[in-house]
């Protein structure tokens, strides 16, 4: 019995890390993984989603609707920023570093000025359940399922829908797509907005589990980038395996040696994986399949 | 010929630019002789702004009150504040600016120990009088530095025995994995052993971590009676909500939360249920001095979110400086330092009487035990009066006899 | 004629201490300290096309090495200079290892950025927890997040009163080093080596096919740039007598990239000017603008990147050149009248 409990405890921990990495990486996977925009303001989209969720929930909106509001707010902000700023940078992607860094400064400081250094947070919904000597948060146990569903939904979106196909075509070869009749600027806009909305959703989902401060984006940004880069060129294919590998190693190390080794281990794993698979996980998979 | 014309233009522009740049860099000679200049190095933005903004208000409150009564030695006090943005390099830049350009008479500031340690060499080099007004891991034995913040012997020697007596002798510590957390954890370990308890676990967590599922599992496995939490920063503060959602339900003890960043006001109940904190002041203290202080504070700064212990320290620091200047009869820094360290320099602040100990340059404190209840209201089950900062003196730091510029820890004691 | 202007500026800077006060000099020194890392990154990224996001790892390694070695060996004799040399050797060694690992392992493009970022973050996380007494090298405590301090300044023994490089003398030292590095880099980028770098940046495969050992060039340029980052690290540590793990964190790592990108990464002079200007500007904003400082900084960077796509100074320089050319193209009245007469 205790073996099952311990096994579940580890599985829970792994799933928790996995969910965190997937959700961190989702929005960035689209904006950076697919579109190539190095979005250093990714954490701030997450913060935006979290803040809007908290504020609307405290104003009385039921939590699921508050989360939806957070997601939509981030998506809207993404659309506006794409229109004003990002679309001028598609042909010079390195400059998106400076632009998004600047946006991140403005967003963080602006939020501090507008909303103060912190706002009262939310309670994590659903309570807890017990298993052996442990008790777990129900909500956090559900997050991995949410992460997986989102991955599946995105896969469906990008592979099976017209929008998805147009989007991938435009990103791959904008001139050809335009020649074939696609409204490329609208597609870029919508894809970016989608990425921003997903980041907002991450913020919304984690808002009831964390403190809401203007700098909360910093808790996500590093994990986002490493997960997305390790997943390789085809993010839809690579994100889940990337998150799984990194989460597994991080959980194992944290459990055995503590949080410090877990954090360092995560970063070292990234270095080693990139060295061993220089095109990321999906690059390696595609290369293997191409050989057959 | 075309090229040389361009190059000549460029050269002229470049020289002009350089000269303009040089003139911008030239100092503006500080002419104001009359006001006494108080330099402020506090984080008005960035990660630490939450706990520091009330401090900034408190300094201003004290200065305005003193000026309204005629100032010090007939001179008004003037604050020169630079927002250090929770960034150590800004602390260094602005410390230089305050000492070398603005030539202030005293500096107050720093929140994190790292920022204090970043500027202490600069203070020492300039022999600048410097007040550090934050609770921290203790041990700074520096002739130029005076500390109004609480130290471990004041916070842990009171808190840990009380918690062990009430809840049991098995203690688990989770601490931020850096100097403050490690040294504080060492203090906890020593006190637990001294009182016959057992450390059933100790976990050190890097500052960037915000997800605590594994930590929660480890705690549950160890089954402690008391959980000592020494968590710093917004990332780590997420622990409280996460442990509540996992229904950890173990009484918690801390020296650092609630009193600084008022987590009990920012987190939804019951995240901080049964949290016990020792602080030298919180807003919830009810006493004539505290009530009057709060009234004046809110009258002047109605926007303050919470009047925390650092605000009380900052307020007291200004009045202690005033007392030192008045005893010395001048603002000459060597004279003021000597006066401040001569004994008998006290102020009656929001938490009662606070005096500077000549051996360590730290202040005595009244320590309140704050208990956060399930609905996040607060009661104060115990108060310890006049706890001296005895540790530094007991290990050999005596600034009244021997100058020094170091920071000591239980495992790095002064050489005899 | 560029060089006469350059010489004038250097001369002006050298005599500056006679006209301005101590603070202005130490402040200017502070801005100059960062120039080395920026120039190194300009070389690696602008000229060779390798986006390294972890130059701060070398910065921190050099700074800590100086601290450890100089605290242990003391300030007597020429030991502080020995410490300086050692603290440049350490980043060199690390850069060789990391560079070999990456370039000979086929790591390219954005992956280089992620690997180097991970390295600097590993350093930061590791160093931040070295607070305990067991983390001592010789007599130097690493002191974790609180940082290491009290390392001696560079000293030359001179009988009774040794020459201590502090304040104005330190400014001259940094200025001299800056001039040497700048000149050295200019020679380097204008040489064959530099041309090959640019060829590799534009099309690595073609360069490979033309017979150039691309990986060796990448490794070399990475090492040079990283040693420069180390130089900034040592000078920063000397300037403030302090080094801390947060110098290796994410924000610190992003800053040189911002300076280099905003100034014009493909041009050394533009990078130098941008670094000094941006560090000065962000300080001024923080001094004057209180809580809006960071917002102004962000807004200015946005404007620069949107309207000066090749970097601020490069764009300004090109516009100036364009206008001067246009003016030269107008026929002069004298010539016209002489022909018609």
């Amino acid at each position: 019995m205790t073996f099952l409990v311990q096994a579940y405890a580890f599985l829970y921990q792994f799933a928790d890390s996995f969910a965190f990495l997937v959700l961190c990486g989702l929005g960035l996977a689209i904006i950076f993984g697919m579109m190539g925009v190095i979005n250093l303001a990714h954490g701030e989209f997450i913060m935006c989603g979290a803040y809007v969720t908290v504020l609307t929930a405290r104003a009385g909106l039921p939590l699921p609707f508050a989360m939806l509001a957070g997601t939509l707010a981030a998506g809207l902000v993404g659309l506006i920023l794409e229109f004003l700023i990002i679309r001028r940078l598609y042909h010079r992607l390195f400059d998106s570093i400076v632009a998004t860094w600047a946006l991140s400064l403005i967003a963080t400081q602006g939020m501090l000025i507008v909303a103060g250094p912190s706002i009262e947070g939310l309670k994590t919904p659903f309570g807890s359940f017990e298993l052996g000597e442990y008790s777990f948060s129900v909500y956090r146990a559900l997050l991995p399922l949410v992460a997986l569903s989102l991955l599946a939904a995105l896969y469906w979106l990008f592979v099976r829908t017209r929008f998805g196909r147009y989007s991938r075509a435009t990103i791959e070869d904008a001139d050809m797509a335009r020649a074939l009749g696609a409204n490329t600027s609208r597609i870029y806009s919508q894809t970016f907005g989608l990425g921003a909305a997903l980041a907002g959703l991450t913020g919304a989902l984690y808002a009831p589990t964390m403190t809401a401060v203007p700098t909360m984006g910093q808790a996500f940004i590093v994990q986002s980038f490493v997960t997305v880069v390790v997943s390789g060129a085809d993010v839809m294919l690579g994100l889940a395996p990337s998150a799984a590998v990194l989460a597994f190693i991080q959980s194992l190390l944290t459990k055995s040696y503590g949080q410090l080794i877990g954090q360092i281990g995560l970063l070292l794993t990234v270095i080693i994986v990139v060295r061993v698979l220089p095109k990321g996980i999906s690059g390696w998979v595609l290369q293997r399949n191409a050989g057959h | 010929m075309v090229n040389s014309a361009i190059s000549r233009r460029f050269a002229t522009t470049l020289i002009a630019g350089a000269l303009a740049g040089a003139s911008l860099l030239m100092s503006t000679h500080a002419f104001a002789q009359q006001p006494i200049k108080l330099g402020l190095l506090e984080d008005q933005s960035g990660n630490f702004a939450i706990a520091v903004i009330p401090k900034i208000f408190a300094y201003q409150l004290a200065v305005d009150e003193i000026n309204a009564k005629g100032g010090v030695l007939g001179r008004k006090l003037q604050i020169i504040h630079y927002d250090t943005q929770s960034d150590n390099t800004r602390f260094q830049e602005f410390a230089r600016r305050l000492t070398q350009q603005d030539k202030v008479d005293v500096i107050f500031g720093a929140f994190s120990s790292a920022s204090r340690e970043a500027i202490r060499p600069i203070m020492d080099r300039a022999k600048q009088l410097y007040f550090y007004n934050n609770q921290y891991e203790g041990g700074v034995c520096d002739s130029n530095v005076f500390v109004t913040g609480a130290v471990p012997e004041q916070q842990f020697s009171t808190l840990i025995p009380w918690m062990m007596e009430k809840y049991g002798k098995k203690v688990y510590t989770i601490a931020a994995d850096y100097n403050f957390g490690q040294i504080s954890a060492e203090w906890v370990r020593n006190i637990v052993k001294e009182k016959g308890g057992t450390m059933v676990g100790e976990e050190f967590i890097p500052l960037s971590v915000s997800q605590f599922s594994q930590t929660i599992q480890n705690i549950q496995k160890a089954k402690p009676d008391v959980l000592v939490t020494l968590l710093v920063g917004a990332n780590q503060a997420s622990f409280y909500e996460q442990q509540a959602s996992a229904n950890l339900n173990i009484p918690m003890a801390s020296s650092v939360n609630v009193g600084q960043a008022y987590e009990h006001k920012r987190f939804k109940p019951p995240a901080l249920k049964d949290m016990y904190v020792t602080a030298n002041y919180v807003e919830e203290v009810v006493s004539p001095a505290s009530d009057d202080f709060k009234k004046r504070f809110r009258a002047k700064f109605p926007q303050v979110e919470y009047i925390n212990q650092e605000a009380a320290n900052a307020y007291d620091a200004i009045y202690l400086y005033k007392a030192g200047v008045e005893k010395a009869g001048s603002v000459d820094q060597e004279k003021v330092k000597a006066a401040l360290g001569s004994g008998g320099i006290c102020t009656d602040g929001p938490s009662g009487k606070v005096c500077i100990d000549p051996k360590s340059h730290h202040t005595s404190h009244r320590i309140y035990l704050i208990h956060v209840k399930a609905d996040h209201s607060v009661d104060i089950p115990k108060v310890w009066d006049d706890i001296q900062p005895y540790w530094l003196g007991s290990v050999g730091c005596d600034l009244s006899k021997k100058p020094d510029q170091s920071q000591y820890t239980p495992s790095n004691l002064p050489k005899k | 004629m560029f060089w006469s202007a350059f010489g004038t500026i250097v001369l002006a800077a050298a005599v500056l201490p006679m006209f301005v006060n101590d603070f202005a000099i130490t402040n200017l020194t502070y801005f100059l300290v960062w120039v080395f890392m920026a120039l190194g990154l300009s070389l690696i990224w602008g000229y060779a096309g390798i986006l390294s996001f972890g130059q701060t790892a070398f910065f921190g390694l050099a700074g800590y090495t100086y601290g450890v070695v100089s605290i242990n060996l003391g300030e007597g004799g020429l030991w502080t200079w020995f410490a300086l040399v050692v603290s440049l050797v350490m980043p060199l060694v690390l850069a060789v290892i990391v560079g070999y690992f990456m370039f000979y392992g086929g790591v390219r493009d954005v992956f280089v950025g992620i690997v180097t970022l991970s390295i600097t973050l590993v350093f930061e996380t590791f160093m931040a927890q070295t607070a305990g007494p067991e983390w001592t090298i010789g007599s130097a405590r690493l002191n974790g997040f609180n940082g290491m301090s009290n390392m001696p300044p560079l000293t030359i023994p001179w009988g009774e009163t040794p020459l201590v490089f502090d304040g104005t003398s330190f400014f001259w030292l940094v200025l001299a080093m800056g001039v040497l590095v700048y000149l050295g880099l200019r020679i380097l980028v204008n040489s064959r080596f530099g041309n090959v770098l640019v060829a590799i940046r534009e099309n690595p495969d073609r360069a490979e096919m033309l017979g150039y050992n691309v990986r060796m060039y990448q490794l070399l340029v990475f090492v040079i740039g990283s040693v420069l980052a180390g130089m900034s690290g040592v000078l920063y540590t000397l300037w403030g007598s302090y080094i801390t793990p947060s110098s290796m964190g994410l924000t610190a790592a992003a800053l040189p990239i911002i300076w280099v990108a905003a100034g014009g990464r493909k041009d050394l002079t533009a990078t130098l000017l941008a670094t000094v200007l941006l560090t000065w500007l962000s300080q001024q904003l923080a001094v004057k603008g209180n809580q809006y400082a960071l917002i102004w900084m962000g807004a200015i960077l946005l404007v620069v990147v949107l309207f000066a796509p090749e970097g601020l100074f490069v764009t300004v320089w090109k516009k100036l050149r364009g206008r001067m050319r246009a003016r030269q193209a107008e026929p002069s009245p004298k010539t016209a009248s002489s022909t018609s007469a």
Side-chain angles (χ1 to χ4, degrees):
Chain A
M1 180 61 185
T2 37
F3 172 73
L4 279 176
V5 170
Q6 299 297 344
Y8 178 73
F10 181 71
L11 178 67
Y12 175 91
Q13 178 52 34
F14 164 73
D16 193 70
S17 291
F18 172 77
F20 185 69
L21 289 176
V22 168
L23 289 170
C24 274
L26 265 182
L28 194 63
I30 295 186
I31 291 181
F32 174 49
M34 287 177 72
M35 299 174 77
V37 175
I38 304 174
N39 183 13
L40 291 181
H42 174 62
E44 277 62 50
F45 282 118
I46 297 179
M47 185 258 290
C48 173
Y51 262 75
V52 172
T53 306
V54 171
L55 289 170
T56 48
R58 276 181 44 211
L61 212 53
L63 191 58
F65 290 107
M67 289 188 177
L68 188 64
T71 311
L72 290 175
L76 186 63
V77 172
L79 283 173
I80 297 174
L81 290 176
E82 196 274 344
F83 178 75
L84 288 177
I85 295 168
I86 308 290
R87 66 174 42 182
R88 295 167 216 266
L89 302 173
Y90 289 132
H91 56 283
R92 44 191 182 106
L93 290 170
F94 278 142
D95 290 337
S96 60
I97 295 181
V98 180
T100 54
W101 172 262
L103 285 173
S104 148
L105 277 183
I106 295 175
T108 324
Q109 191 64 13
M111 192 56 100
L112 175 69
I113 294 177
V114 164
S118 153
I119 57 174
E120 192 190 311
L122 298 176
K123 196 160 126 66
T124 316
F126 300 146
S128 59
F129 65 96
E130 278 184 35
L131 199 62
E133 56 191 352
Y134 301 114
S135 60
F136 303 100
S137 159
V138 173
Y139 183 76
R140 290 191 79 100
L142 291 175
L143 279 178
L145 300 174
V146 173
L148 286 171
S149 329
L150 281 172
L151 279 174
L154 277 178
Y155 178 79
W156 174 82
L157 179 72
F158 278 105
V159 172
R160 298 237 183 267
T161 64
R162 205 162 138 258
F163 165 77
R165 282 196 293 269
Y166 270 73
S167 181
R168 281 160 57 214
T170 309
I171 290 169
E172 176 129 4
D173 191 339
D175 293 322
M176 186 60 87
R178 207 175 300 129
L180 289 172
N183 183 340
T184 50
S185 61
R186 191 156 54 119
I187 288 176
Y188 273 129
S189 179
Q190 287 169 342
T191 311
F192 191 88
L194 176 65
L198 284 170
L201 178 60
T202 304
L205 287 170
Y206 278 99
T209 71
M210 295 173 71
T211 42
V213 293
T215 50
M216 68 190 294
Q218 289 175 10
F220 299 89
I221 188 96
V222 173
Q223 285 88 334
S224 315
F225 270 98
V226 301
T227 311
V228 169
V229 172
V230 169
S231 61
D234 188 337
V235 281
M236 286 305 118
L237 184 61
L239 192 61
S242 165
V245 167
L246 294 174
F248 181 75
I249 297 194
Q250 185 183 22
S251 315
L252 196 60
L253 290 173
T254 306
K255 184 179 176 61
S256 320
Y257 300 109
Q259 293 264 20
L260 174 71
I261 304 293
Q263 285 291 102
I264 292 185
L266 174 71
L267 293 167
L268 289 176
T269 308
V270 170
I271 295 173
I272 294 172
V273 169
V274 167
R275 169 67 177 82
V276 171
L277 305 174
K279 288 204 190 323
I281 292 184
S282 59
W284 173 70
V285 170
L286 289 173
Q287 225 169 11
R288 273 187 74 215
N289 287 342
H292 294 316
Chain B
M1 296 314 111
V2 173
N3 280 329
S4 66
I6 296 176
S7 302
R8 238 176 288 138
R9 290 273 174 87
F10 183 77
T12 338
T13 327
L14 217 53
I15 296 173
L19 286 174
S23 60
L24 275 168
L25 286 167
M26 281 194 202
S27 69
T28 52
H29 184 59
F31 277 105
Q33 295 294 329
Q34 273 294 73
I36 300 177
K37 288 183 281 191
L38 276 52
L40 223 58
L41 291 171
E42 295 286 9
D43 304 313
Q44 207 170 350
S45 52
N47 285 330
F48 302 133
I50 299 180
V52 173
I53 288 177
K55 265 172 111 172
I56 301 176
F57 289 147
Y59 290 121
Q60 194 66 59
L61 177 70
V63 164
D64 290 344
E65 283 175 2
I66 293 174
N67 282 345
K69 297 199 181 103
V72 181
L73 297 181
R75 294 164 66 177
K76 294 255 192 268
L77 299 175
Q78 181 198 12
I79 289 182
I80 301 175
H81 173 223
Y82 295 121
D83 177 8
T84 42
Q85 298 173 343
S86 307
D87 180 342
N88 290 340
T89 56
R90 289 268 178 253
F91 270 96
Q92 292 177 293
E93 292 168 42
F94 293 144
R96 292 266 174 127
R97 180 176 280 257
L98 284 175
T99 52
Q100 290 180 303
Q101 177 156 292
D102 301 311
K103 296 204 171 52
V104 293
D105 299 297
V106 60
I107 293 183
F108 299 84
F111 174 80
S112 75
S113 287
S115 52
R116 180 196 69 243
E117 291 305 301
I119 59 177
R120 214 160 49 80
I122 299 173
M123 301 293 139
D124 288 334
R125 232 190 263 184
K127 296 198 178 36
Q128 175 75 45
L129 172 60
Y130 167 51
F131 275 85
Y132 178 65
N133 304 316
N134 244 75
Q135 59 104 231
Y136 76 116
E137 69 273 12
V140 168
C141 180
D142 190 321
S143 309
N144 300 306
V145 181
F146 290 86
V147 180
T148 58
V151 283
E153 63 267 33
Q154 292 168 324
Q155 291 181 291
F156 291 119
S157 311
T158 46
L159 176 65
I160 305 296
W162 193 93
M163 291 295 288
M164 283 171 65
E165 203 183 296
K166 181 160 173 117
Y167 287 108
K169 293 200 185 275
K170 291 192 289 181
V171 175
Y172 194 107
T173 302
I174 59 174
D177 198 4
Y178 75 111
N179 312 59
F180 170 78
Q182 291 181 3
I183 295 173
S184 303
E186 188 176 354
W187 274 89
V188 171
R189 210 181 309 141
N190 292 342
I191 293 174
V192 168
K193 196 164 116 192
E194 209 184 306
K195 299 288 178 194
T198 344
M199 291 297 303
V200 294
E202 224 175 32
E203 218 179 293
F204 292 99
I205 303 175
L207 289 162
S208 56
V209 169
S210 64
Q211 307 298 313
F212 291 92
S213 306
Q214 184 64 54
T215 305
I216 293 171
Q217 285 184 16
N218 294 345
I219 296 171
Q220 290 184 318
K221 196 167 174 149
K223 301 199 214 330
D225 299 313
V226 173
L227 175 65
V228 175
T229 60
L230 301 163
L231 301 172
V232 173
N235 285 341
Q236 297 198 339
S238 302
F239 171 77
Y240 294 110
E241 179 55 52
Q242 292 173 23
Q243 65 89 28
S245 72
N247 203 20
L248 189 62
N249 226 0
I250 298 176
M252 297 181 282
S254 178
S255 66
V256 68
N257 297 123
V258 176
Q260 291 192 112
Y262 48 101
E263 284 83 354
H264 58 313
K265 295 269 189 238
R266 290 163 38 216
F267 290 47
K268 212 111 178 130
L272 283 143
K273 169 165 159 264
D274 283 335
M275 169 83 151
Y276 292 83
V277 177
T278 39
N280 58 284
Y281 182 76
V282 285
E283 196 177 75
E284 286 86 349
V285 165
V286 172
S287 75
S290 169
D291 294 338
D292 186 49
F293 175 65
K294 280 186 290 191
K295 206 171 71 176
R296 285 176 281 132
F297 204 118
R298 288 230 144 81
K300 202 167 187 82
F301 300 109
Q303 71 271 42
V304 69
E305 297 200 11
Y306 185 83
I307 304 172
N308 59 8
Q309 72 174 350
E310 269 63 37
N313 293 341
Y315 183 83
D316 286 343
I318 303 268
Y319 276 94
L320 286 169
Y321 174 69
K322 169 171 178 283
V325 171
E326 283 169 350
K327 183 162 183 179
S330 105
V331 291
D332 172 74
Q333 295 193 35
E334 291 306 314
K335 294 199 178 127
V336 177
K337 279 185 253 172
L340 287 168
S342 62
I345 300 286
C346 302
T347 176
D348 279 295
S351 60
K353 197 176 181 115
V354 164
C355 297
I356 298 180
D357 162 49
K359 275 192 182 168
S360 63
H361 286 189
H362 288 57
T363 53
S364 60
H365 277 299
R366 171 174 289 149
I367 298 290
Y368 297 92
L369 179 68
I370 292 129
H371 170 222
V372 180
K373 297 192 283 202
D375 60 353
H376 281 193
S377 65
V378 153
D379 69 358
I380 301 183
K382 191 157 168 73
V383 178
W384 291 270
D385 279 327
D386 203 33
I387 308 268
Q388 293 292 326
Y390 60 80
W391 182 73
L392 273 171
S394 72
V395 296
C397 164
D398 189 350
L399 292 165
S400 63
K401 295 200 172 65
K402 191 176 65 170
D404 201 345
Q405 285 177 0
S406 324
Q407 182 180 16
Y408 300 110
T409 71
S411 30
N412 178 27
L413 295 174
K415 302 184 184 26
K416 291 279 186 276
Chain C
M1 299 312 133
F2 169 83
W3 294 110
S4 61
F6 178 74
T8 321
I9 293 183
V10 172
L11 210 61
V15 299
L16 204 57
M18 297 189 223
F19 300 104
V20 299
N21 75 355
D22 280 345
F23 170 69
I25 292 299
T26 59
N27 211 18
L28 180 58
T29 315
Y30 178 75
F31 301 143
L32 291 177
V33 154
W34 301 100
V35 165
F36 301 88
M37 178 156 64
L39 287 176
L41 186 61
S42 170
L43 187 69
I44 297 177
W45 187 23
Y47 286 88
I50 302 166
L51 176 53
S52 167
F53 219 109
Q55 292 305 93
T56 42
F58 305 104
F59 181 97
L61 178 63
Y64 271 100
T65 306
Y66 182 78
V68 168
V69 176
S70 64
I71 287 177
N72 274 304
L73 296 178
E75 54 191 350
L78 289 171
W79 284 122
T80 49
W81 297 91
F82 176 72
L84 176 67
V85 170
V86 173
S87 30
L88 292 177
V89 167
M90 289 296 283
L92 188 143
V93 170
L94 181 67
V96 169
I97 297 173
V98 171
Y100 179 77
F101 176 83
M102 289 196 302
F103 303 124
Y104 285 79
V107 178
R108 291 164 68 144
D109 310 316
V110 70
F111 294 96
V112 171
I114 284 293
V115 168
T116 47
L117 176 64
S118 302
I119 292 175
T120 191
L121 290 178
V122 165
F123 260 124
E124 187 210 13
T125 311
F126 178 77
M127 290 306 282
Q129 53 89 41
T130 56
E134 65 270 23
W135 295 105
T136 312
I137 303 182
S139 49
R141 266 187 84 140
L142 293 176
N143 211 28
F145 189 75
N146 278 14
M148 189 195 281
S149 58
N150 289 324
M151 50 284 284
L154 291 171
T155 320
I156 297 182
W158 198 260
E160 290 275 302
T161 46
L163 175 61
V164 176
F165 282 89
D166 212 3
T168 306
S169 48
F170 187 64
F171 167 68
W172 280 325
L173 179 68
V174 173
L175 186 65
M177 286 172 81
V179 168
L180 284 173
V181 164
Y182 176 72
L183 292 175
L185 283 177
R186 278 199 68 123
I187 296 173
L188 186 68
V189 299
N190 287 323
S191 70
R192 202 172 141 257
F193 182 82
N195 292 335
V196 176
L197 285 184
V198 174
I200 294 175
R201 176 188 80 206
E202 294 303 320
N203 195 331
D205 296 316
R206 182 175 60 196
E208 181 108 44
M209 279 188 267
L210 285 170
Y212 290 106
N213 188 346
V214 168
R215 295 184 294 191
M216 177 61 85
Y217 276 91
Q218 288 177 324
L219 178 63
L220 277 172
V221 77
F222 185 72
V223 168
I224 296 173
S226 304
V227 170
L228 286 173
M231 204 177 277
S232 274
V234 180
L235 292 175
Y236 169 78
T237 306
L238 283 166
W239 178 85
S241 200
Y242 180 73
I243 181 77
T244 166
S246 53
S247 307
M248 299 187 275
L250 179 62
T251 309
L255 281 178
I257 298 191
I258 301 296
W259 302 327
V260 170
R265 66 179 185 269
K266 296 185 185 171
D267 186 292
L268 290 174
T269 316
T271 299
L272 191 154
L273 292 171
T275 305
V276 176
L277 178 68
L278 285 175
T279 42
W280 172 80
L281 182 64
S282 72
Q283 189 191 79
Q284 281 301 104
L285 286 173
V287 168
K288 302 269 161 55
N290 53 65
Q291 52 181 355
Y292 289 95
L294 291 170
I295 297 195
W296 275 111
M297 195 69 220
I300 291 172
L301 284 173
L302 262 183
V303 164
V304 167
V305 81
L306 286 177
F307 298 112
E310 286 173 67
L312 180 62
F313 289 98
V314 173
T315 310
V316 164
W317 169 229
K318 284 194 178 168
K319 283 208 161 67
L320 278 174
R321 257 176 51 185
R323 242 188 288 154
M324 283 179 203
R325 285 238 175 84
R327 217 168 291 164
Q328 296 293 339
E330 284 167 22
S332 71
K334 226 192 268 184
T335 354
S337 52
S338 60
T339 42
S340 61

